[in-house]
């Protein structure tokens, strides 16, 4: 057993009180599962891209107009199946992710959104991902006419050599122009994703990218270190030397450079990865703890059950054509696991209040997790004033390391496995 898996096993046992976590090929009984829920988030997955980037772990396939039009019908069917179960529960957060949602700007995104707003009680703005090459002036107007108020795009890097290495289909000047157009278009928040700790990247290059983004006036920067997922092309090429040139200390230094730039310019840390201009509503994926996911590979979490749709677009479509929900895997969660999941996501946001835990679970936070938090505050990883818990910069960094330990392995097993087998019998995490 590697040190990684030993540590992972220990953490799962410690936090969730379980020895292993398994998802099974079973459609859960959803009757009555929405009745206690006060508010929900909605996630819509668009699994199409105009290119397949070698580093990307997300579920996607090459865009084709015919697949897109069948997809619109399937998502519409899926919404209709849920509308009876969900009733008029309010959705207070809505996120459209991918793949690349902007591939469907002219092939059904509008009608899908209209249907969502017709069948569900939507009480929120729309947050949506986009690709820089799709952000012409005309497309930006279309995006706004759909009601999108918060826009994100994958810039990835601001040096030609890194853009070439990542096989991104634009030059530095082109992507900067796309960012400028988006920033000037009047969204409430424009987020750009960048990746650091790229092969051979220097600290000076990270600093240059950070300063350029600041000059371009973006509201938020989500900066991820390059994760090499074993099932991506880059992951396969990197093989065993996954951390070769992006080791822990190197990443920490790069993150420090970004922290200095963005804190210095008045941005706040709003999640493990994101810096947001103070006063701007942060761009993010679903912001409430419970959510329903629509589309191929979308996940849903309703208090005591988590379930995941099949990843394969053709299977997703044919399942709904046959009148069946496209759920491939599900897992019932014990109360202890729900609490551990709650803590994981709140820590990911870098802060939480203990009263929110009490409201959700009817138990005192300290009686459940207090003994794990106290040593962390001794080590300066978090500040705990008795009610609010806030991660320090050092705490956030170590959370990155933990994330790396968990996410790469879990995502590899769950997403990598589901991309190979549309209806897996079981996935053990
Ligand atoms: C769905 S894409 C963004 C939208 C659009 N498809 C695009 O490429 O511009 C999600 C983002 O996740 C980040 N990402 C993808 N693969 C990554 C990896 N292996 N390591 C770190 N970040 C990654 C990238 O910043 C990417 O822009
Ligand atoms: S990074 Fe974006 S464009 Fe590239 S494959 Fe992933 S989702 Fe598609």
């Amino acid at each position: 057993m590697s040190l990684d898996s030993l540590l992972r096993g220990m953490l799962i046992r410690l936090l969730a009180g379980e020895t292993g976590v398994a998802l099974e090929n079973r459609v859960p009984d959803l009757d009555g599962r929405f009745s206690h829920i006060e508010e929900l988030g909605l996630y819509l997955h668009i699994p199409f891209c105009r290119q397949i980037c070698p580093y990307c772990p997300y579920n996607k396939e090459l865009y084709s107009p015919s697949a897109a039009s069948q997809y619109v019908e399937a998502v519409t069917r899926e919404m209709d199946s849920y509308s009876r179960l969900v009733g008029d529960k309010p959705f207070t957060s809505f996120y459209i992710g991918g793949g690349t949602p902007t591939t469907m700007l002219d092939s059904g995104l509008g009608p899908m959104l209209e249907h969502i707003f017709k069948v569900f009680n939507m009480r929120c703005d729309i947050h949506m991902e986009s690709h820089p090459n799709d952000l012409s002036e005309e497309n930006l107007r279309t995006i706004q006419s759909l009601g999108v108020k918060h826009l994100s795009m994958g810039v990835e890097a601001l040096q030609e050599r890194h853009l070439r290495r990542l096989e991104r289909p634009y030059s530095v000047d082109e992507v900067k122009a796309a960012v400028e157009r988006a920033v000037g278009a009047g969204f409430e928040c424009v987020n750009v994703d960048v990746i650091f700790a790229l092969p051979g990247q220097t600290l000076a290059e990270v600093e240059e990218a950070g300063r350029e983004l600041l000059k371009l006036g973006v509201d938020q920067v989500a900066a991820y270190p390059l994760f090499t997922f074993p099932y991506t092309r880059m992951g396969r090429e990197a093989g065993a030397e996954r951390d070769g040139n992006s080791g822990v200390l190197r990443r920490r230094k790069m993150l420090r450079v970004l922290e200095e730039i963005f804190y210095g310019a008045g941005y706040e840390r709003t999640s493990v990865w994101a810096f947001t201009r103070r006063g701007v509503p942060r761009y993010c994926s679903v912001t409430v703890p419970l959510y329903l996911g629509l589309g191929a590979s979308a996940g849903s979490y309703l208090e005591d059950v988590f379930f995941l749709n099949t990843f394969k677009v053709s299977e997703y479509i044919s399942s709904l054509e046959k009148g069946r929900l496209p759920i491939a895997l599900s897992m019932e969660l014990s109360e202890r696991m729900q609490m551990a999941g709650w803590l994981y996501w709140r820590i990911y946001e870098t802060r939480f209040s203990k009263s929110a835990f009490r409201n959700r679970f009817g138990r005192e936070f300290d009686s459940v997790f207090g003994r794990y938090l106290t040593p962390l505050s001794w080590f300066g990883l978090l500040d705990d004033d008795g009610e609010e818990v806030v991660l320090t910069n050092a705490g956030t960094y170590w959370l990155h390391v933990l994330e790396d330990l968990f996410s790469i392995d879990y995502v590899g097993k769950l997403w990598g496995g589901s991309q190979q087998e549309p209806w897996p019998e079981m996935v053990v995490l």
Side-chain angles (χ1 to χ4, degrees), residues 30-279:
L30 295 174
D31 268 334
R33 299 260 197 183
F34 292 87
S35 52
H36 312 291
I37 294 174
E38 279 173 21
E39 58 172 345
L40 277 163
L42 186 66
Y43 174 71
L44 170 64
H45 189 81
I46 304 297
F48 302 115
C49 292
R50 292 188 210 281
Q51 60 166 116
I52 302 298
C53 305
Y55 53 92
C56 175
Y58 295 99
N59 185 41
K60 73 275 161 185
E61 61 175 46
L62 280 177
Y63 171 80
S64 84
S66 64
S69 91
Q70 287 179 301
Y71 194 69
V72 175
E73 273 183 41
V75 173
T76 307
R77 286 196 168 105
E78 194 183 16
M79 281 181 239
D80 291 342
S81 314
Y82 281 115
S83 72
R84 177 187 64 80
L85 293 160
V86 177
D88 66 353
K89 294 282 168 194
F91 284 94
T92 55
S93 130
F94 181 21
Y95 184 78
I96 310 172
T100 305
T102 41
T103 51
M104 289 187 71
L105 275 185
D106 300 319
S107 53
L109 189 60
M112 267 195 290
L113 297 187
E114 259 172 47
H115 201 72
I116 285 179
F117 278 79
K118 201 168 89 193
V119 298
F120 294 133
N121 180 9
M122 302 301 291
R123 300 278 183 84
C124 49
D125 292 340
I126 306 175
H127 293 230
M128 188 174 85
E129 288 177 353
S130 67
H131 190 287
N133 282 11
D134 293 333
L135 299 181
S136 62
E137 299 282 357
E138 191 189 344
N139 280 355
L140 282 163
R141 279 193 293 275
T142 306
I143 292 169
Q144 286 179 314
S145 72
L146 296 175
V148 174
K149 297 244 166 46
H150 312 255
L151 187 73
S152 174
M153 72 181 97
V155 165
E156 320 298 48
L158 282 172
Q159 285 91 22
E160 296 293 347
R161 68 185 191 115
H162 295 305
L163 289 177
R164 298 292 76 78
R165 175 77 175 84
L166 296 173
E167 301 180 18
R168 295 295 283 185
Y170 44 72
S171 66
V172 171
D173 286 345
E174 283 164 343
V175 77
K176 284 201 313 207
V179 176
E180 268 177 351
R181 282 193 297 275
V183 167
F187 290 96
E188 285 191 15
C189 181
V190 171
N191 171 81
V192 302
D193 291 339
V194 285
I195 307 183
F196 66 94
L198 294 165
Q201 193 177 32
T202 63
L203 278 179
E205 285 174 327
V206 174
E207 179 168 356
E208 181 188 47
R211 296 210 182 280
E212 283 295 328
L213 291 172
L214 210 54
K215 257 200 263 163
L216 289 166
V218 299
D219 300 303
Q220 180 171 301
V221 173
Y224 309 91
L226 177 68
F227 292 123
T228 37
F229 295 90
Y231 65 93
T232 60
R233 182 148 56 86
M234 224 178 216
R236 284 192 298 275
E237 285 163 8
E241 30 154 29
R242 175 156 91 75
D243 258 343
N245 102 66
S246 52
V248 169
L249 282 176
R250 201 178 122 73
R251 278 187 274 169
R252 187 172 167 88
K253 274 195 199 150
M254 290 184 166
L255 200 63
R256 283 237 171 101
V257 166
L258 293 171
E259 279 166 2
E260 229 168 78
I261 293 172
F262 290 103
Y263 288 155
Y267 287 57
E268 295 173 306
R269 175 165 250 141
T270 47
S271 83
V272 172
W273 310 113
F275 302 96
T276 313
R277 191 199 299 282
R278 195 163 290 143

